[in-house]
Amino acid sequence: MRCASRSRFLLLLDGGIATVSLAVCLLALLASDAGPDTTGATAVAVGLAVAQASCLLWIRRHPGYALTVAALAGVGLEALCPQLGWLGLVAIPMAYVARLRPPRYSLVALGLLMAPTPWKLLTGGWRDLLLAVIALDLAWALGELQRGQAQRRCERERQVRAAERERISRELHDVVAHHVAVIAVQAAAAEDVFDEQPEQARAALAAIDTAARSALTELRAMLHALALDDGSDPDGPQPGLAQLDALADAVRAVGLPVTLRREGDGEALPGGVQLSAYRIVQESLTNALRHGHATHADVDVRYGDGVLRLEVVNDGPAPARRPGTSSGRGIVGMRERARLLGGTLDAGPLPAGGFRVHARLPVGADR
């Protein structure tokens, strides 16, 4: 729908400019005493003016051909009605070509149109020559300016799309990595006790079922949000600080004791800050489960003085790094989340053993 609306708008714009150009040509023909002397010559001039103006209706699709037709029509108008300006109103198609094509193309067209301008010395003098040159130069400059603005706008849109793809990638990674880690740990636990302790095996299978359903629910919500065109929110709310208790319970269920402490009214913070805070805690606990071989984790969430502080400490070693990589994707994603909110995130091993993630998220400007 947007593309169709944009095409209709451009067609109406080109049609309006073509109509105005034609009206200017016709008024100049009717008002000028130096126009064609005969009715037939006047009819030819009107036809050439119509041809030149109509080029604007298809110049976006074929700018080279349209400018050629406009220039040929302008040659006739120059011979019949030199008072219209150099080659009629060919400066308008010239502006279009500069808008649609890079300088290596549009400058050639400008040079070809300006090459015969000394003819104006024979028909009108230096004043008409300068007006012809200035009109063409201004038309090219205007078109080039618009082309540059359009390029910068497209570049900004590409950057926004790239950032959005990166954000979606992080969201999908967080959802899948956490729940798959839970499922893997529970599956291994169920296999170990399946014969001797069937009740514990059933509990592990129930935890797998819960983690899988939770992952599917979050993925559906995310995909539903991506499918929306009107920018409205998905049906289900995004996780926030209120869901940290459920997250801690899920991690405890797979055998990693978690202590969760809170200070301040963090649940009243903006949704974007809460989502990032939740994902940082989730990724930290997931790393402790998947890489750290930790036996305990402490989560501190403190809000005060317009700053949300997160600290997740476990007693396991640092997450293992893959050969050829500088750091884990999860830590990079957490750090990027904090940076996008204007905050900082530090992650690294502790001198006495264990691993610590500390994030500082300023939220005063967002409230």
Side-chain angles (χ1 to χ4, degrees):
M1 291 298 295
R2 292 179 181 176
C3 292
S5 300
R6 178 66 175 169
S7 299
R8 287 194 295 269
F9 170 76
L10 292 177
L11 183 60
L12 290 174
L13 177 63
D14 296 344
I17 295 176
T19 302
V20 171
S21 301
L22 178 60
V24 170
C25 286
L26 294 179
L27 289 175
L29 286 171
L30 295 175
S32 177
D33 295 333
D37 297 330
T38 64
T39 302
T42 301
V44 171
V46 171
L48 292 172
V50 171
Q52 192 174 71
S54 65
C55 292
L56 301 182
L57 299 177
W58 50 282
I59 194 171
R60 293 183 186 274
R61 296 189 299 273
H62 307 288
Y65 294 130
L67 183 61
T68 300
V69 172
L72 292 176
V75 172
L77 288 172
E78 180 68 25
L80 295 173
C81 311
Q83 74 278 4
L84 289 178
W86 178 242
L87 301 182
L89 294 181
V90 77
I92 297 176
M94 181 67 249
Y96 269 78
V97 171
R99 165 66 177 83
L100 299 170
R101 291 291 185 266
R104 67 176 181 273
Y105 185 98
S106 60
L107 283 175
V108 173
L110 177 65
L112 292 175
L113 292 178
M114 290 182 60
T117 51
W119 175 259
K120 279 292 185 181
L121 292 175
L122 301 178
T123 60
W126 283 102
R127 176 177 174 274
D128 290 349
L129 173 62
L130 291 176
L131 288 176
V133 172
I134 291 173
L136 289 173
D137 287 342
L138 287 178
W140 179 87
L142 177 62
E144 177 63 19
L145 177 63
Q146 292 176 340
R147 190 187 67 85
Q149 291 175 343
Q151 279 191 331
R152 288 189 293 272
R153 183 169 60 250
C154 290
E155 181 62 28
R156 287 194 297 269
E157 291 176 356
R158 281 194 294 269
Q159 292 175 356
V160 169
R161 287 194 297 267
E164 184 67 10
R165 285 194 296 267
E166 182 181 355
R167 184 191 68 82
I168 294 168
S169 175
R170 287 197 304 268
E171 292 290 334
L172 290 173
H173 170 265
D174 291 344
V175 171
V176 174
H178 172 73
H179 292 293
V180 170
V182 172
I183 290 172
V185 172
Q186 288 286 22
E191 183 180 8
D192 291 340
V193 300
F194 192 82
D195 294 326
E196 292 80 7
Q197 297 175 313
E199 291 300 324
Q200 291 188 14
R202 290 191 185 94
L205 293 176
I208 291 174
D209 178 70
T210 301
R213 292 178 183 274
S214 178
L216 288 174
T217 299
E218 290 192 46
L219 287 174
R220 287 194 189 102
M222 191 177 303
L223 293 175
H224 180 59
L226 294 176
L228 294 175
D229 292 330
D230 56 3
S232 60
D233 293 332
D235 295 336
Q238 293 283 358
L241 297 180
Q243 284 72 44
L244 288 180
D245 291 312
L247 176 63
D249 291 338
V251 175
R252 294 188 192 106
V254 300
L256 178 62
V258 176
T259 301
L260 177 62
R261 291 182 289 269
R262 302 172 185 262
E263 292 183 15
D265 186 15
E267 295 183 9
L269 298 179
V273 175
Q274 291 201 48
L275 174 61
S276 293
Y278 177 91
R279 294 305 188 200
I280 289 173
V281 174
Q282 182 187 48
E283 181 65 30
S284 301
L285 294 177
T286 298
N287 286 339
L289 278 172
R290 187 171 50 189
H291 305 296
H293 306 290
T295 61
H296 189 272
D298 294 314
V299 179
D300 289 326
V301 180
R302 291 174 292 161
Y303 173 68
D305 299 326
V307 178
L308 179 64
R309 295 176 175 84
L310 308 171
E311 185 174 73
V312 183
V313 180
N314 68 77
D315 57 356
R321 294 182 179 179
R322 297 176 181 175
T325 60
S326 60
S327 62
R329 175 183 173 85
I331 295 177
V332 173
M334 290 190 293
R335 188 171 288 117
E336 181 64 13
R337 284 182 180 276
R339 187 190 68 80
L340 291 175
L341 292 174
T344 58
L345 184 139
D346 297 318
L350 295 172
F355 194 82
R356 173 179 178 265
V357 175
H358 180 266
R360 183 181 182 277
L361 309 178
V363 296
D366 295 311
R367 300 196 67 183

